[in-house]
C-alpha cells in the first residue's frame, strides 16, 4: 500500500495523496493546458521531476546551488510596516529581493497621475538610500476610465445591452486616456531617477487594457532607451472585451503567454511576467502542471527575461493570504527547473 | 533589467566584469567579501553600518563604472551635484 504524502490544494488547504495520485494530478493539469491552449505537453522526464518535487514530504524545496534566479516584486511598499522608504529598505535588506518597487496604495496609473510630484520625490529619496534597482509600478487598470469613475461610456454596461459599437468606442477612448497617463507617470519617474517601470496586471480589463500597455511601452522605450520596463500580466489569456483590437497587426483577444511575450518585447519591454491563475478547487500539483505547460512555449522562445508571476493565487501558488512555504517553494522551484526562466 | 538581457547572458556579463565565476554570484560568502573589497555596498542590515565604506548611491556610482552600465539615478545625482555624467548612457 502506498504511503500518503501531505500536499496542498489550490486554496492552500493541506490534504494527503499517494505518489500515484499526485502523478495523476500532474497529468491532468498538463492535459487541461493542452486542451485549452493547444500547448505541447510536458515531456516525461519533466513530469518525473515535477513528481519528485511534489511528492517530497519535506517542508522546503529549492533549486540547485548555482541555479538561482532574479526576484522582482510588485508593490513592495504600501506603508504596511513603516514609512515608504523604510519599507523599501526592509524589502531590500531583510527580504533580500533583487528588484524592488515604489507603489502607491491606489496602484493605478490614473490615480498616480494626480500625485506624480510626490511619488517622484519618494523615488528620488529612495534611490539615495537603496543599492538594488528600483521600479515604479502600477496597473494600467482601464476600467477606471469608464463612467462613473472616468470619462468614457461604460462598456461593461453597454455590452449586456447589445450596444456593441458603443462599447467598443468606449474602450478605444479609454485606451487613449490610459496611454497618456502611463507615459506621463513614466516621464515623471524617469526624471526622478527610477531604474524601471512596472506595468502590473496588464490585460486585466481585456484586450484594450493590454493594447494601452503596449502603446505606452512603445512610447516610453522611444523616449528613454535605458529605462527598464517590466510587464506583468493579469492572467494567462487576454480577454476579448473589445474583440477587434490589434497591435502590430496581431489581434490581442485570445493571446496566450508566448504571443503576449512577443508583443511585449516588440513594444520595448525588457522583462515579461506571464501569469497563470490558480484554480482553488484543484491540487497544487494540478495547478503547477497546468501553469508550466501554458508558459513553457513562452520561455522556450523568449527574447527578453521572463519573470513568471509566482505569488498568491498565481503560478501554482495557493490562493491563501498566508502562503504556505511548502507550496511557494515547490511552485518556485518547479518554475525554475522546468521553464529555465530568468526570474520570479 | 534595462537591456533585456536573459539571465545566463547577464550572469556571464557580470561575472566577467567582476572576475569571478557565475556560480560565485549567488555565493553570499564570496560576494560579501568581494562587495566589500570593491566598494559595491554591503546590503544586509547588520553589515550596512560601515561608515567608511561605500553604500547605496555611493556604491551605485562604482557599480555603474565597474559594470559599464548606465544607472539612471546615478546620472541624475551626478548632474544635480554638478559632477557630469559618470556612467555610459
Amino acid at each position: 500500500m502506498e504511503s500518503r504524502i501531505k500536499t496542498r490544494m489550490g486554496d492552500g488547504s493541506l490534504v494527503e495523496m499517494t505518489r500515484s495520485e499526485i502523478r495523476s494530478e500532474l497529468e491532468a493539469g498538463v492535459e487541461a493546458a493542452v486542451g485549452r491552449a493547444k500547448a505541447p505537453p510536458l515531456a516525461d522526464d519533466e513530469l518525473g521531476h515535477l513528481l519528485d518535487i511534489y511528492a517530497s514530504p519535506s517542508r522546503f524545496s529549492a533549486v540547485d546551488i548555482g541555479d538561482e534566479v532574479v526576484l522582482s516584486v510588485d508593490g513592495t511598499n504600501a506603508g504596511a510596516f513603516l514609512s515608504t522608504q523604510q519599507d523599501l529598505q526592509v524589502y531590500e535588506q531583510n527580504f533580500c529581493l533583487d528588484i524592488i518597487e515604489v507603489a502607491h496604495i491606489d496602484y493605478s496609473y490614473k490615480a498616480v497621475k494626480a500625485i506624480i510630484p510626490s511619488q517622484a520625490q519618494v523615488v528620488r529619496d529612495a534611490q539615495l538610500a537603496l543599492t538594488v534597482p528600483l521600479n515604479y509600478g502600477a496597473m494600467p487598470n482601464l476600467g477606471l476610465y469608464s463612467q462613473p469613475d472616468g470619462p468614457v461610456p461604460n462598456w461593461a454596461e453597454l455590452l449586456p445591452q447589445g450596444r456593441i459599437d458603443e462599447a467598443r468606442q468606449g474602450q478605444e477612448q479609454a485606451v487613449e486616456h490610459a496611454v497618456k497617463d502611463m507615459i506621463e507617470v513614466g516621464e515623471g519617474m524617469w526624471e526622478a531617477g527610477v531604474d524601471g517601470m512596472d506595468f502590473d496586471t496588464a490585460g486585466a480589463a481585456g484586450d484594450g487594457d493590454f493594447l494601452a500597455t503596449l502603446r505606452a511601452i512603445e512610447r516610453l522605450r522611444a523616449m528613454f532607451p535605458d529605462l527598464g520596463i517590466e510587464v506583468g500580466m493579469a492572467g494567462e489569456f487576454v480577454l476579448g472585451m473589445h474583440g477587434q483590437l490589434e497591435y502590430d497587426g496581431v489581434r490581442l483577444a485570445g493571446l496566450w503567454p508566448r504571443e503576449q511575450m512577443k508583443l511585449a518585447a516588440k513594444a520595448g519591454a525588457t522583462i515579461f511576467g506571464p501569469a497563470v491563475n490558480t484554480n482553488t478547487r484543484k491540487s497544487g500539483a494540478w495547478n503547477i502542471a497546468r501553469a508550466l505547460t501554458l508558459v513553457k512555449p513562452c520561455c522556450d522562445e523568449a527574447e527578453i527575461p521572463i519573470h513568471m508571476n509566482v505569488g498568491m493565487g498565481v503560478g501554482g501558488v495557493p490562493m491563501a493570504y498566508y502562503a504556505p512555504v511548502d507550496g511557494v517553494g515547490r511552485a518556485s522551484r518547479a518554475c525554475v527547473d522546468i521553464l529555465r526562466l530568468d526570474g520570479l | 533589467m534595462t537591456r533585456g538581457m536573459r539571465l545566463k547572458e547577464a550572469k556571464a556579463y557580470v561575472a566577467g566584469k567582476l572576475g569571478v565565476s557565475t556560480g560565485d554570484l549567488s555565493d553570499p560568502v564570496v560576494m560579501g567579501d568581494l562587495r566589500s573589497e570593491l566598494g559595491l555596498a554591503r546590503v544586509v542590515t547588520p553589515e550596512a553600518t560601515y561608515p567608511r565604506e561605500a553604500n547605496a548611491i555611493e556604491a551605485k556610482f562604482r557599480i555603474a563604472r565597474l559594470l559599464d552600465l548606465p544607472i539612471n539615478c546615478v546620472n541624475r545625482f551626478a548632474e544635480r551635484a554638478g559632477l557630469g555624467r559618470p556612467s555610459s548612457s
Side-chain angles (χ1 to χ4, degrees):
Chain A
M1 185 175 164
E2 282 189 284
S3 60
R4 301 189 72 77
I5 301 155
K6 286 186 171 63
T7 190
R8 297 279 172 187
M9 293 296 289
D11 66 357
S13 57
L14 205 55
V15 295
E16 289 187 348
M17 292 184 187
T18 64
R19 189 176 171 91
S20 301
E21 287 170 339
I22 292 174
R23 168 115 200 165
S24 297
E25 290 290 305
L26 291 169
E27 289 169 348
V30 170
E31 195 178 323
V34 171
R36 283 277 293 170
K38 308 288 181 283
L42 297 180
D44 282 345
D45 61 329
E46 292 168 335
L47 264 180
H49 187 57
L50 274 182
L51 181 58
D52 287 341
I53 293 173
Y54 274 77
S56 161
S58 66
R59 170 69 81 178
F60 290 97
S61 190
V63 300
D64 289 349
I65 291 173
D67 285 350
E68 296 85 357
V69 298
V70 175
L71 293 180
S72 58
V73 69
D74 60 345
T76 36
N77 75 291
F81 305 124
L82 306 157
S83 71
T84 295
Q85 185 161 319
Q86 288 167 323
D87 272 354
L88 290 165
Q89 288 173 298
V90 167
Y91 275 91
E92 175 193 56
Q93 298 172 20
N94 297 84
F95 298 162
C96 300
L97 288 157
D98 299 306
I99 302 174
I100 56 176
E101 174 178 301
V102 170
H104 189 265
I105 192 70
D106 280 345
Y107 209 52
S108 295
Y109 281 101
K110 179 172 180 274
V112 170
K113 191 188 73 168
I115 52 170
I116 289 173
S118 66
Q119 288 292 277
Q121 187 67 43
V122 170
V123 166
R124 177 176 164 162
D125 291 347
Q127 284 288 45
L128 299 178
L130 296 169
T131 306
V132 299
L134 182 68
N135 275 342
Y136 188 87
M139 302 186 300
N141 207 349
L142 204 68
L144 281 186
Y145 297 91
S146 66
Q147 296 164 357
D149 299 313
V152 310
N154 191 324
W155 55 90
E157 291 178 357
L158 294 169
L159 283 170
Q161 297 170 27
R163 296 160 68 182
I164 308 297
D165 289 343
E166 291 169 78
R168 283 180 171 149
Q169 286 165 14
Q171 290 176 74
E172 289 160 18
Q173 291 167 23
V175 167
E176 299 302 321
H177 288 297
V179 170
K180 188 169 173 291
D181 287 353
M182 287 188 273
I183 292 171
E184 208 168 313
V185 174
E187 280 186 276
M189 298 312 153
W190 176 257
E191 292 298 322
V194 84
D195 296 300
M197 295 295 293
D198 177 21
F199 297 91
D200 194 23
T201 68
D207 44 356
D209 198 295
F210 192 38
L211 178 63
T213 307
L214 295 170
R215 285 189 182 166
I217 291 170
E218 187 179 277
R219 292 277 303 280
L220 286 168
R221 169 59 57 234
M223 294 161 75
F224 310 117
D226 293 327
L227 176 68
I229 299 179
E230 182 165 4
V231 180
M233 296 302 292
E236 61 257 33
F237 180 81
V238 178
L239 291 171
M241 295 298 287
H242 184 291
Q244 296 179 332
L245 295 174
E246 294 183 355
Y247 180 79
D248 197 40
V250 178
R251 195 174 78 129
L252 301 178
L255 293 186
W256 293 94
R258 176 176 54 190
E259 286 70 31
Q260 297 164 12
M261 174 275 296
K262 286 182 176 176
L263 291 184
K266 187 145 201 165
T270 51
I271 298 175
F272 178 71
V276 178
N277 300 308
T278 296
N279 184 332
T280 54
R281 293 173 299 174
K282 299 286 189 178
S283 67
W286 185 93
N287 275 293
I288 195 66
R290 178 176 178 275
L292 297 181
T293 308
L294 289 176
V295 173
K296 193 153 192 312
C298 167
C299 291
D300 288 347
E301 296 183 30
E303 300 147 16
I304 56 175
I306 304 298
H307 288 202
M308 184 155 163
N309 283 274
V310 184
M312 182 176 66
V314 286
V317 172
M319 182 65 200
Y321 202 77
Y322 297 99
V325 69
D326 48 280
V328 177
R330 280 166 176 71
S332 303
R333 179 183 177 187
C335 287
V336 175
D337 287 357
I338 303 297
L339 300 178
R340 291 289 153 197
L341 39 61
D342 307 273
L344 301 172
Chain B
M1 68 178 284
T2 60
R3 295 184 178 186
M5 199 182 276
R6 296 215 59 185
L7 185 62
K8 189 176 177 185
E9 190 188 354
K11 281 186 174 181
Y13 179 85
V14 173
K17 291 287 185 184
L18 296 179
V20 297
S21 72
T22 54
D24 287 338
L25 296 176
S26 51
D27 185 327
V29 177
V30 171
M31 290 307 293
D33 290 345
L34 187 67
R35 292 182 78 102
S36 176
E37 182 187 326
L38 299 176
L40 305 183
R42 297 164 180 263
V43 175
V44 180
T45 306
E47 289 205 321
T49 51
Y50 283 74
R52 290 184 179 82
E53 293 191 11
N55 199 358
I57 188 71
E58 303 154 348
K60 286 189 280 193
F61 270 75
R62 292 172 178 266
I63 292 169
R65 190 166 54 239
L66 194 60
L67 299 186
D68 190 25
L69 289 174
I71 297 180
N72 187 27
C73 63
V74 168
N75 291 336
R76 300 280 165 193
F77 185 101
E79 282 172 10
R80 287 166 184 155
L83 302 175
R85 291 181 73 85
S87 64
S88 57
S89 147

